[in-house]
Amino acid sequence: IVLMAWNLGPGDAVFVPSFTYVATAEAPAQLGATPFFVDVCEDTFNIDPQSFKQAVLDSRNLGLKPAVVIAVDLFGQPAEIDLITEVAHAEGIRVLVDGAQSFGGMSKGRRVGSMGDATTTSFFPAKPLGCYGDGGAVFTSNDEDAESINSIRLHGKGSQKYDNVRVGLNSRLDTIQA
């Protein structure tokens, strides 16, 4: 949903860690963007900021437009988001944090969910904050992104229920899950 809100598509490179669940690479591929794998740190298995820096150059050499990096937090440990963000924003790249395995965690005095340009989490039962089945949430401090994300999750809803202004999804959390 976030990648849809950010208008990702063909020709865009989306940087993903080489150690992650398939959904991390699957999401950009479904939009026609190119998942671009980045090495991870040996001690955390989170995306390596130096490898990310090199991947940006490599993607450009292949004719791709560096667009988004998805930093996946693993085993309760947030990624080195400050270093990743520094590289990303210097290159005009947006930062999406997958905080599903670190929800409730902190890094440098900040809670998971407050880092990056947006943070996603999963409520799958095996996650730190699970629900009865599937579910998830998106966090952002950007009002324009929040409006697009909300629209996309409700079939592309505009200002009224049957005013559909974009292609969207049925991605509401039902009452039992909530």
Side-chain angles (χ1 to χ4, degrees):
I1 292 174
V2 174
L3 299 180
M4 289 174 72
W6 289 348
N7 298 309
L8 270 282
D12 291 326
V14 178
F15 303 95
V16 300
S18 58
F19 187 86
T20 187
Y21 184 64
V22 66
T24 311
E26 184 179 51
Q30 287 178 337
L31 298 175
T34 301
F36 204 96
F37 291 93
V38 178
D39 286 337
V40 296
C41 299
E42 290 182 26
D43 57 340
T44 65
F45 295 99
N46 290 333
I47 202 164
D48 181 326
Q50 290 304 316
S51 180
F52 168 48
K53 196 174 201 175
Q54 183 60 50
V56 171
L57 298 173
D58 293 344
S59 70
R60 280 199 180 106
N61 288 336
L62 292 173
L64 296 170
K65 176 185 171 250
V68 174
V69 58
I70 303 177
V72 179
D73 299 342
L74 289 176
F75 312 117
Q77 301 178 88
E80 289 290 337
I81 201 64
D82 291 340
L83 295 174
I84 292 167
T85 300
E86 183 180 315
V87 171
H89 287 178
E91 297 287 346
I93 298 169
R94 296 185 85 168
V95 179
L96 176 58
V97 177
D98 176 342
Q101 286 195 22
S102 64
F103 196 79
M106 292 184 73
S107 177
K108 299 178 184 169
R110 293 178 296 165
R111 289 262 178 219
V112 169
S114 67
M115 299 175 237
D117 296 304
T119 299
T120 61
T121 192
S122 168
F123 297 150
F124 186 76
K127 302 299 181 187
L129 180 60
C131 64
Y132 186 68
D134 283 319
V138 178
F139 305 91
T140 182
S141 60
N142 181 303
D143 291 341
E144 187 176 311
D145 286 350
E147 186 176 316
S148 295
I149 289 164
N150 193 45
S151 170
I152 291 166
R153 78 175 187 90
L154 295 169
H155 296 288
K157 180 181 167 287
S159 61
Q160 300 172 19
K161 184 175 182 175
Y162 296 108
D163 175 31
N164 300 90
V165 297
R166 62 178 51 90
V167 173
L169 306 168
N170 177 8
S171 190
R172 297 171 292 211
L173 191 61
D174 65 52
T175 305
I176 290 175
Q177 305 307 332

